[in-house]
Amino acid sequence: MLLRMYRRYIDKRGYDVTLHNLTPGSEGGIKEATLEVRGRYAYGFLKGEGGVHRLVRISPFSAQKLRHTSFAAVDIVPKLQKMEEMEIPEEDIRVDTFRSSGPGGQNVNKRETAVRVTHVPTGVSASSQSERSQATNKERALQMLHSKLYMVKLKKRKEKLEELKGDASAIEWGSQIRSYVMHPYQMVKDHRTDVETSDVEAVLDGDLNDFIDEEVKQKIT
């Protein structure tokens, strides 16, 4: 649902998007997906969407129609222009290949063209299955891995500064940035800006401007 929501938002802004990786969940839905978004100020508008998102609805897997709460984590990282900005020793990288699966992957179930690269010391990984060539998928996965590790480096630096200032705060799974409640009432609320709406359907259809604009406004004021 989040993947569809963001793709609708991206389309409405006129950005270009490529689905590089999509891993189906073991019991339905999506376990993980990676989008590359290209457009004017794309990172600036989207970076505030990083965090934990909470969904409350009637579970489609419950015969008793029970209410279910689920969580999804969203990471937003900029694409580095030069991979030299974040050098990684070759011995720290593990490369795994697998067959493309799901939408976005050509040669599905034919050849192991999909690639996942993992930074062994941190466990951070990136995958690509959008290209027909294993070599091209590896290059794209490495680009994404460099960007992710660069953001990890910046986060650690920020946490160190906050620790020195004495105002560090814990970031935990329960500290969601936005809740999408579909039952027993209709409400989407951003817990950082207090922007909320009862039009859940419109939000899940990509109408995120009120949330994103307010978050950007508060960051620059």
Side-chain angles (χ1 to χ4, degrees):
M1 295 174 72
L2 281 182
L3 178 63
R4 176 183 179 276
M5 180 184 76
Y6 283 121
R7 296 199 74 164
R8 290 295 182 91
Y9 171 77
I10 290 165
D11 288 343
K12 289 177 180 180
R13 288 206 65 94
Y15 293 153
D16 293 324
V17 61
T18 300
L19 178 63
H20 283 305
N21 177 59
L22 189 149
T23 304
S26 57
E27 298 180 358
I30 297 171
K31 179 181 179 182
E32 179 183 26
T34 304
L35 296 174
E36 179 182 349
V37 183
R38 298 173 299 278
R40 188 175 178 84
Y41 306 126
Y43 177 67
F45 280 112
L46 287 169
K47 66 179 181 179
E49 293 298 292
V52 176
H53 296 247
R54 171 177 172 261
L55 172 69
V56 181
R57 62 172 175 163
I58 297 295
S59 172
F61 305 106
S62 172
Q64 294 79 29
K65 302 298 181 181
L66 298 176
R67 188 174 64 176
H68 179 72
T69 300
S70 54
F71 298 87
V74 175
D75 288 327
I76 309 292
V77 297
K79 183 178 180 181
L80 299 182
Q81 296 302 312
K82 296 181 181 179
M83 290 198 294
E84 291 80 6
E85 295 179 35
M86 185 68 197
E87 295 184 5
I88 309 173
E90 188 173 344
E91 60 270 19
D92 286 350
I93 296 177
R94 185 180 72 246
V95 179
D96 299 303
T97 59
F98 56 98
R99 293 180 180 179
S100 298
S101 60
Q106 293 88 355
N107 300 332
V108 175
N109 295 325
K110 293 182 180 180
R111 297 192 308 154
E112 292 190 343
T113 55
V115 176
R116 177 182 296 106
V117 292
T118 303
H119 184 241
V120 177
T122 62
V124 175
S125 65
S127 304
S128 177
Q129 56 177 290
S130 61
E131 304 295 334
R132 294 181 180 274
S133 164
Q134 185 183 104
T136 305
N137 278 326
K138 179 181 178 182
E139 182 180 355
R140 289 190 179 278
L142 282 171
Q143 288 176 344
M144 288 186 281
L145 182 67
H146 275 77
S147 294
K148 285 186 174 184
L149 290 176
Y150 184 69
M151 293 303 291
V152 169
K153 180 180 179 180
L154 292 182
K155 181 180 178 182
K156 287 183 177 179
R157 184 182 301 170
K158 180 181 178 181
E159 289 175 349
K160 183 64 176 178
L161 288 173
E162 289 177 345
E163 181 181 341
L164 292 173
K165 292 177 182 177
D167 59 355
S169 57
I171 300 176
E172 300 173 346
W173 181 252
S175 59
Q176 62 269 7
I177 66 169
R178 189 176 302 141
S179 292
Y180 310 78
V181 181
M182 304 180 70
H183 184 84
Y185 55 89
Q186 303 277 308
M187 179 67 69
V188 180
K189 180 172 182 176
D190 192 291
H191 302 290
R192 303 161 300 173
T193 62
D194 288 330
V195 173
E196 61 181 49
T197 178
S198 59
D199 196 347
V200 180
E201 185 176 343
V203 173
L204 293 177
D205 200 38
D207 188 2
L208 296 172
N209 287 329
D210 288 346
F211 297 100
I212 291 178
D213 290 350
E214 183 62 26
E215 199 278 334
V216 171
K217 186 188 303 181
Q218 290 192 12
K219 288 292 185 181
I220 61 177
T221 55

